[in-house]
């Protein structure tokens, strides 16, 4: 029987095995779909995303990444999360130039498939993630719902990252310039369209390979730390505590996903008490408007937390003011503090604000988020294994 740390390492390795088989086989199709997306955006199309249950968080993530690009100087692209409105909302808003992206479990979702069918019949470009029918229809890379969702996140991240290449190369030979570091294997010489698609496909494979390298690094260096965090969380839950998640932007969608996975498990796991402060848009907007963005998590923590609870911060930088403020308050109140971080852990680590900091050693946001998703899903699996 594997030790807890060995189990963590094996779960990271399983993700890498699936990823290494999936992305080289899928990259050219992804690149071609991304080229078509670029043409639709340039023609005034919008990206409409939706999903049900925990897969609504993927639609949230798509909306924030396309509208608020983390790449300085990149255009904001029109994208909407229509999960609450569902198929009826898609039907009401849809225009022929649009793109519709539907998310679901590994086995698919008939309601999502029906909506995608309607959208395609009305001229939209459709992405079935997963599904069997669509302009880009994807058979799930894994029956495991966590692994499936993690690799789907890489799919839409690579679409968002590489769509800008096609914008900048819509006339042959354009250079990617200062943003070339985002696009491995894209050269500065003139290229025809066929060469560009092949180069983008190679870039997608490289992005997935970087995730695989980072997962292996986290497994080598932090498996024991992940086990320690899970054991500490279990002790708090056994004492009657609950999990309080918070993060900004894409990290907010991860906080929402983690909370939903606790409350409504995708596997046959016991539900866990959890809240995501990012799932409270009215509260967030009221606090940001009336007091300031630095308190949007702090004030919710003051209202909701008990001393036996666990404050879980998700941040790529580790330095967001609202994250730090909530962690400071959590420490004052005796909560257990856990943080999923990127870069070197930022101010969260330097100020010792998380008793259990788990750091993805990377300085590029999409890769950090993708490995953080693997980390928190593995933590959920370990919670159940240690029960």
């Amino acid at each position: 029987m594997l030790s807890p740390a060995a189990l963590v390492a094996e779960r990271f390795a399983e993700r890498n095995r699936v990823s290494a088989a999936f992305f080289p086989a899928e990259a050219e199709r992804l690149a071609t779909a991304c080229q078509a997306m670029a043409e639709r955006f340039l023609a005034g199309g919008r990206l409409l995303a939706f999903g049900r249950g925990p897969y609504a968080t993927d639609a949230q993530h798509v909306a924030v990444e396309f509208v608020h690009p983390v790449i300085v100087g990149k255009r904001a692209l029109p994208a909407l999360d229509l999960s609450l409105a569902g198929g009826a909302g898609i039907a009401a808003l849809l225009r022929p130039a649009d793109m519709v992206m539907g998310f679901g479990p590994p086995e698919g979702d008939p309601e999502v498939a029906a909506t995608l069918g309607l959208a395609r019949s009305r001229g939209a470009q459709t992405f079935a993630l997963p599904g069997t029918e669509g302009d880009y229809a994807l058979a799930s890379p894994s029956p495991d719902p966590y692994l499936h969702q993690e690799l789907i996140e890489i799919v839409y991240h690579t679409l968002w990252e590489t769509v800008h290449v096609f914008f900048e190369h819509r006339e042959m030979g354009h250079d990617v310039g200062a943003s070339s570091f985002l696009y491995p294997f894209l050269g500065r010489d003139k290229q025809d369209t066929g060469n560009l698609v092949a180069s983008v496909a190679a870039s997608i494979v490289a992005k997935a390979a970087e995730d695989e390298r980072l997962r292996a690094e986290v497994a080598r260096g932090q498996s024991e730390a992940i086990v320690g965090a899970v054991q500490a969380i279990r002790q708090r839950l056994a004492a009657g505590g609950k999990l309080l998640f918070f993060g900004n932007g894409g990290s907010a969608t991860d906080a929402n996903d983690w909370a939903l996975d606790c409350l409504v498990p995708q596997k046959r796991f016991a539900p866990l008490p959890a809240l995501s402060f990012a799932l409270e848009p009215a509260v967030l907007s009221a606090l940001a408007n009336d007091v300031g963005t630095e308190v949007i998590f702090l004030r919710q923590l003051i209202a909701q937390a008990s001393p036996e609870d666990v404050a879980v911060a998700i941040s790529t930088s580790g330095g967001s003011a609202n994250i730090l403020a909530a962690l400071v308050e959590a420490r004052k109140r005796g909560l257990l503090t856990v943080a999923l971080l990127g870069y070197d852990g930022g101010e969260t680590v330097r100020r010792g604000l998380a008793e259990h900091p788990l750091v993805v050693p990377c300085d590029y946001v999409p890769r950090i988020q993708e490995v953080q998703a693997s980390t928190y899903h593995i933590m959920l699996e370990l919670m159940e294994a240690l029960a």
Side-chain angles (χ1 to χ4, degrees):
M1 185 174 178
L2 294 176
S3 68
L7 177 61
V8 169
E10 169 53 30
R11 297 307 294 141
F12 277 116
E14 172 64 14
R15 283 151 169 82
N16 281 355
R17 287 191 290 269
V18 175
S19 174
F22 174 74
F23 281 101
E26 199 65 28
E28 187 169 349
R29 278 207 320 134
L30 265 174
T32 301
C34 191
Q35 183 181 39
M37 285 184 78
E39 293 168 357
R40 284 179 176 260
F41 276 127
L42 290 169
R46 304 161 301 171
L47 176 55
L48 311 180
F50 71 108
R52 296 198 301 154
Y55 301 100
T57 65
D58 290 299
Q60 294 173 355
H61 204 149
V62 164
V64 72
E65 298 289 15
F66 278 82
V67 170
H68 179 57
V70 295
I71 314 170
V72 175
K74 297 302 176 187
R75 68 186 73 191
L77 298 172
L80 293 166
D81 164 28
L82 294 178
S83 299
L84 284 177
I90 298 283
L93 284 169
L94 187 67
R95 300 191 301 236
D98 290 340
M99 298 142 279
V100 180
M101 192 173 284
F103 296 96
E107 65 274 16
D109 182 325
E111 290 190 31
V112 171
T115 299
L116 290 174
L118 171 66
R120 197 176 187 200
S121 73
R122 290 170 56 177
Q125 181 189 14
T126 55
F127 291 80
L129 302 174
T132 57
E133 307 237 344
D135 296 285
Y136 180 82
L138 173 68
S140 177
S142 171
D144 183 308
Y146 294 159
L147 208 161
H148 159 79
Q149 194 173 27
E150 293 161 33
L151 296 190
I152 292 294
E153 179 177 347
I154 300 171
V155 166
Y156 59 74
H157 269 166
T158 57
L159 289 170
W160 160 72
E161 292 173 278
T162 56
V163 73
H164 296 280
V165 178
F166 291 105
F167 294 152
E168 295 167 7
H169 283 74
R170 58 189 180 273
E171 296 179 9
M172 288 190 302
H174 278 197
D175 180 20
V176 292
S179 59
S180 60
F181 74 97
L182 294 171
Y183 313 114
F185 308 126
L186 291 183
R188 295 175 179 268
D189 298 329
K190 285 197 171 191
Q191 311 169 63
D192 62 28
T193 303
N195 287 339
L196 179 57
V197 169
S199 296
V200 167
S203 179
I204 290 169
V205 172
K207 295 173 194 300
E210 176 65 4
D211 272 334
E212 292 156 20
R213 184 192 69 78
L214 287 167
R215 287 194 204 95
E217 185 172 346
V218 170
R220 282 193 303 272
Q222 297 185 65
S223 289
E224 293 286 358
I226 290 170
V227 172
V230 168
Q231 290 172 332
I233 291 169
R234 282 178 45 78
Q235 290 174 359
R236 290 296 183 117
L237 295 181
K242 60 185 177 295
L243 291 153
L244 304 173
F245 298 105
F246 47 96
N248 294 293
S251 296
T253 71
D254 286 333
N256 295 344
D257 183 57
W258 198 347
L260 289 173
D261 282 344
C262 289
L263 294 169
V264 190
Q266 296 189 63
K267 298 186 177 184
R268 294 182 179 178
F269 292 172
L272 302 172
L275 300 173
S276 171
F277 295 158
L279 276 172
E280 297 291 339
V283 174
L284 291 172
S285 61
L287 291 170
N289 182 67
D290 297 340
V291 187
T293 56
E294 291 188 10
V295 305
I296 60 174
F297 303 133
L298 167 64
R299 292 289 289 269
Q300 290 192 75
L301 187 138
I302 290 169
Q304 305 292 352
S306 300
E308 63 271 17
D309 290 345
V310 184
V312 184
I314 308 176
S315 172
T316 54
S317 70
S320 300
N322 51 25
I323 295 286
L324 300 177
L327 287 172
V328 167
E329 186 66 24
R331 294 298 299 267
K332 286 180 182 176
R333 291 170 175 260
L335 278 70
L336 178 72
T337 53
V338 178
L340 268 59
L341 307 164
Y343 292 81
D344 62 355
E347 286 300 299
T348 298
V349 167
R350 284 190 281 276
R351 293 170 58 181
L353 297 179
E355 296 162 78
H356 297 273
L358 303 171
V359 181
V360 178
C362 177
D363 60 2
Y364 186 46
V365 169
R367 304 292 85 80
I368 297 168
Q369 290 175 337
E370 289 152 9
V371 178
Q372 285 179 334
S374 295
T375 300
Y376 70 73
H377 280 149
I378 289 170
M379 290 175 73
L380 282 166
E381 294 174 342
L382 190 59
M383 291 283 294
E384 183 71 15
L386 295 178

